[in-house]
Amino acid sequence: MLVLLAGIFVVHIATVIMLFVSTIANVWMAGKISSGITNSSGLWLQCANGHCRDLQFVDDDLSALKAVQAFMILAIIFSFVSLIMFVVQLFTMEKGKRFYITGAIMLVCWLFILIAASIYTARFPQYFKAEEDHHGYSFILAWICFCFSFIIGVLYLVLRKK
């Protein structure tokens, strides 16, 4: 049981780090524009050939982008709070009890990642139509964190302190 808890703790830390990287890095979409210049776009900036500038979207999509930014930041906060709650519960909770609070907070994090990644998936790929354009590693990390946060949240709800 101790090995399982340690493993979940390590995966939880990795999830927090991946969420942080996914939110900060500007590679949600990547590709090449004319003459082989690399182009990437994230939640904050659009970069081409090493030079970055603010994202340029129409007003409707700009509000959707703000929602994605907000939900990703909330996901980081809730994932970190869940990690702290796990440590607190680990040392203060009686034996035989379950990690309900930690699991519930992690599942809220999971929901926030789902909302953010779904909004981005639905609203922004039309801006990247070239053959070389593809989803970047930040977008993929967000979906990996989605899976990990769900698994971790369910495991926290099921596991008992022994």
Side-chain angles (χ1 to χ4, degrees):
M1 182 58 80
L2 183 63
V3 174
L4 184 61
L5 284 175
I8 292 171
F9 185 70
V10 168
V11 172
H12 195 149
I13 291 173
T15 302
V16 171
I17 292 169
M18 287 189 298
L19 265 174
F20 194 71
V21 169
S22 173
T23 303
I24 290 177
N26 289 312
V27 194
W28 279 60
M29 294 294 286
K32 293 190 184 291
I33 52 179
S34 63
S35 67
I37 297 173
T38 59
N39 181 33
S40 66
S41 176
L43 299 180
W44 312 101
L45 298 171
Q46 183 167 4
C47 299
N49 208 25
H51 301 290
C52 297
R53 61 182 172 87
D54 289 334
L55 293 168
Q56 304 294 320
F57 292 119
V58 295
D59 287 339
D60 290 343
D61 286 338
L62 196 58
S63 63
L65 180 67
K66 296 290 184 196
V68 173
Q69 292 171 345
F71 279 113
M72 287 303 290
I73 290 170
L74 284 171
I76 292 170
I77 292 168
F78 273 76
S79 183
F80 186 74
V81 167
S82 177
L83 188 65
I84 298 299
M85 284 304 301
F86 172 70
V87 173
V88 168
Q89 284 185 318
L90 192 61
F91 292 111
T92 62
M93 194 169 57
E94 299 172 11
K95 289 187 177 187
K97 300 282 184 174
R98 295 181 191 253
F99 297 95
Y100 287 128
I101 296 172
T102 304
I105 294 171
M106 197 63 191
L107 288 177
V108 170
C109 169
W110 166 76
L111 183 65
F112 288 158
I113 298 169
L114 173 66
I115 293 169
S118 297
I119 292 172
Y120 193 87
T121 301
R123 297 296 290 264
F124 296 104
Q126 72 266 18
Y127 290 101
F128 304 94
K129 294 185 178 180
E131 285 185 25
E132 297 87 19
D133 290 343
H134 58 279
H135 291 290
Y137 70 87
S138 297
F139 180 78
I140 295 167
L141 276 178
W143 282 109
I144 290 171
C145 290
F146 166 77
C147 297
F148 280 173
S149 62
F150 180 74
I151 292 168
I152 293 168
V154 170
L155 284 176
Y156 280 144
L157 291 175
V158 171
L159 287 179
R160 293 179 185 266
K161 182 179 177 185
K162 297 224 174 182

